[in-house]
Amino acid sequence: MLQKMKGTYDLHDTMPLVHDIERAIQAVSRLFQYQEIRTPHFELSELYHRSVGESSDIVSKETYDFKDRGGRAVTLRPEGTAGVVRAYVENKLYAEPIKPQKYYYVGSMFRYERPQKGRFREFRQFGAEAFGSEHPELDAEVIAYAITFLRALKLKNLTVHVNSLGDATSKTAYRAALKAHIAPHLETLCTDCQTRYHDNPLRILDCKVDTRHEALQTAPKPLDYLTEPDRQHFDAVIALLKAMDIAYTIDNSLVRGLDYYTHTVFEIKVDPDLLGNQNTICGGGRYNHLVESLGGPSTPAVGFAFGLERLMVALEAAGLQGKVQPLYCYVAALDESSVKYAMALMQSLRMRGLTCNMGFERKSLKAQFKQSAHQHARFVIILGEAEIASKTVQIKDQTSGDSFSVPLDEVYSTIMAQLSTASDCETCGHKGASS
Ligand code: ATP
Ligand code: MG
């Protein structure tokens, strides 16, 4: 039997939670006025080399690269920012009148990683990118957007970690200080870190192997190397978070793994009891030079990306399962000749917006009632020869247990009347649907 590929998964029984997440994304994005953008799942490999960076873990070890039939070097997107920036430049979105331009995306990303809990080879991200302002307000808004999304999903026990790398001058000064600090310990670091030391020393702080290494624990702090204007930018972001009542922790070891970050970097972590080591559900930061380096006009930008699988695990572990959508009507046909009337009734109810279902297997009434219960149907509508002859149907309200006879052409109005007096269902929050 053919099986799914390692590191991929099928979504079926958790779809109600996926839909809750997608609804929260849409609702919160509207509150913050971010517009959806959809970009291709594959791009020229060069895009990721020029943005994420040659020496990043993603590009050096994790991308799915292939030659297409025309001989082009293609990569399945490992992250969303590069594609959005490419689209921003290619479509001249910088010329749009509304400023700053704010976008969000949801979709699959692909990384060839060792699969484990919270780490897949095809995984989904919800990300945001805001272009056109270097002011700290945009950094703070992006963090507020991410937190408001989690609040909409009722997820608690999370911490926002923030740090700043500053711009070129600060980064260069910090890089030199970090290298000087690491040099005497270089031999004792993992082989990846020995390479990082030469290519991109900041990433040593991001290492998953050497986390407890003494040299990393005592490493200099990026904040101590910020130029005065960069320090002011960071202080302003912090003051804005305070003003918006968003709790945060300053995390001196936070650098983030991609080349393009400048100034603010942040991550949102949930309680490790919920997720274990893979407990970072969101990462983001400012990237003021990426647009220009991909051929656009100099445009500061800031964004984030959530890993949706980790978010789902955290929600489930916190007891926040998705809501099942209600089924209002289950139509039970008693015999062969009633089936076409049942279909006609369902069609007319569905056309008016009521959810309906029926059995398609000619089962006994008892079996049909059992099915209706599996589907959490609020009403069972019974149709047989006698009902058709008298143009009335039997309706059983599964919540109250009441049964009543209703003329066929009053089924819709009767059900609507019943629903309007019902209180919201505790499980799904919808009017009158039984749980
Ligand atoms: P990590 O340090 O866990 O490898 P990362 O820094 O590589 O994460 P980003 O590129 O910042 O991750 O992506 C943003 C978010 O996407 C992460 O915080 C995480 O929630 C999620 N994510 C990253 N890689 C994976 C993966 N392979 N499977 C599932 N989710 C992932
Ligand atoms: Mg990674």
Side-chain angles (χ1 to χ4, degrees):
M1 195 186 56
L2 290 175
Q3 294 183 327
K4 64 182 177 299
M5 289 190 70
K6 203 172 155 188
T8 66
Y9 59 86
D10 302 310
L11 275 176
H12 40 91
D13 53 341
T14 53
M15 282 314 289
L17 185 54
V18 174
H19 288 152
D20 278 358
I21 292 171
E22 288 172 353
R23 271 191 291 271
I25 291 172
Q26 287 178 14
V28 176
S29 300
R30 212 161 62 93
L31 288 177
F32 282 78
Q33 289 293 292
Y34 283 66
Q35 312 300 326
E36 185 174 2
I37 184 164
R38 296 189 189 189
T39 65
H41 286 76
F42 56 89
E43 300 267 3
L44 287 176
S45 304
E46 189 190 344
L47 174 65
Y48 302 107
H49 288 253
R50 281 173 51 186
S51 56
V52 179
E54 303 272 353
S55 64
S56 64
D57 278 3
I58 294 183
V59 168
S60 63
K61 296 194 276 205
E62 299 172 0
T63 46
Y64 278 87
D65 301 312
F66 59 98
K67 282 257 161 44
D68 74 4
R69 288 171 196 267
R72 299 169 197 88
V74 176
T75 297
L76 296 185
R77 64 180 185 192
E79 55 96 57
T81 304
V84 173
V85 173
R86 197 253 330 120
Y88 180 81
V89 174
E90 189 171 339
N91 298 298
K92 300 193 172 53
L93 299 179
Y94 46 79
E96 298 285 317
I98 295 174
K99 308 265 188 267
Q101 288 106 355
K102 306 196 286 189
Y103 300 98
Y104 78 91
Y105 59 83
V106 184
S108 285
M109 306 296 157
F110 306 86
R111 294 185 194 175
Y112 194 79
E113 297 199 71
R114 191 169 68 77
Q116 50 196 287
K117 190 180 175 197
R119 201 175 282 288
F120 298 89
R121 288 182 173 173
E122 178 174 357
F123 62 100
R124 290 174 19 101
Q125 286 187 337
F126 153 43
E129 316 293 350
F131 298 98
S133 170
E134 60 186 350
H135 292 296
E137 293 80 35
L138 202 58
D139 309 54
E141 183 188 75
V142 154
I143 295 172
Y145 176 25
I147 285 296
T148 309
F149 165 61
L150 294 174
R151 289 212 182 127
L153 290 168
K154 303 190 170 60
L155 189 67
K156 299 200 176 79
N157 298 333
L158 30 97
T159 41
V160 181
H161 294 241
V162 278
N163 199 12
S164 176
L165 308 172
D167 216 332
T169 311
S170 309
K171 274 173 96 171
T172 307
Y174 178 66
R175 196 176 294 126
L178 182 66
K179 281 187 90 161
H181 172 81
I182 294 284
H185 310 278
L186 194 55
E187 311 281 85
T188 61
L189 292 181
C190 76
T191 48
D192 275 349
C193 281
Q194 298 191 16
T195 316
R196 288 178 187 129
Y197 180 83
H198 300 287
D199 296 344
N200 197 334
L202 262 61
R203 286 222 189 78
I204 295 176
L205 296 181
D206 220 10
C207 180
K208 302 213 169 47
V209 180
D210 286 325
T211 38
R212 296 197 189 289
H213 196 291
E214 157 118 37
L216 298 199
Q217 307 278 341
T218 55
K221 302 169 182 165
L223 290 184
D224 293 336
Y225 294 82
L226 295 184
T227 58
E228 191 48 34
D230 291 355
R231 176 79 211 190
Q232 281 171 11
H233 190 277
F234 182 64
D235 289 346
V237 173
I238 294 298
L240 289 163
L241 293 179
K242 278 191 189 143
M244 289 188 288
D245 208 15
I246 293 170
Y248 62 87
T249 326
I250 293 177
D251 183 342
N252 288 305
S253 63
L254 179 61
V255 292
R256 314 261 320 118
L258 314 182
D259 267 355
Y260 48 61
Y261 287 111
T262 53
H263 295 280
T264 315
V265 284
F266 67 95
E267 287 187 346
I268 301 174
K269 294 178 194 276
V270 296
D271 196 331
D273 287 350
L274 296 181
L275 268 185
N277 284 338
Q278 256 60 255
N279 67 332
T280 304
I281 56 169
C282 175
R286 182 168 270 288
Y287 51 94
N288 281 351
H289 307 295
L290 184 58
V291 176
E292 197 172 5
S293 80
L294 291 179
S298 170
T299 309
V302 53
F304 65 66
F306 274 91
L308 294 184
E309 294 74 17
R310 292 185 199 178
L311 177 62
M312 281 177 66
V313 175
L315 288 167
E316 284 169 338
L320 297 163
Q321 262 77 7
K323 288 171 186 142
V324 177
Q325 294 298 304
L327 172 62
Y328 290 122
C329 309
Y330 189 90
V331 183
L334 293 180
D335 46 54
E336 190 65 35
S337 62
S338 315
V339 170
K340 90 171 174 214
Y341 293 93
M343 289 291 285
L345 177 61
M346 280 208 302
Q347 183 62 8
S348 78
L349 295 176
R350 284 169 169 166
M351 295 283 282
R352 297 166 90 170
L354 277 177
T355 52
C356 290
N357 216 357
M358 67 179 274
F360 291 87
E361 289 179 282
R362 314 289 193 266
K363 288 277 172 63
S364 69
L365 186 59
K366 192 174 165 203
Q368 295 191 65
F369 262 100
K370 214 167 159 187
Q371 261 305 314
S372 77
H374 281 314
Q375 298 179 32
H376 307 290
R378 166 74 193 265
F379 300 100
V380 179
I381 305 171
I382 303 164
L383 261 178
E385 273 176 18
E387 284 77 11
I388 291 157
S390 62
K391 292 203 166 51
T392 50
V393 295
Q394 300 296 315
I395 299 183
K396 179 149 189 234
D397 182 338
Q398 297 283 68
T399 306
S400 64
D402 296 343
S403 283
F404 33 92
S405 264
V406 176
L408 203 52
D409 56 5
E410 288 174 23
V411 171
Y412 175 76
S413 54
T414 308
I415 287 177
M416 291 309 284
Q418 293 284 326
L419 291 176
S420 68
T421 57
S423 54
D424 291 355
C425 166
E426 274 179 22
T427 312
C428 66
H430 284 73
K431 279 259 171 273
S434 78
S435 42

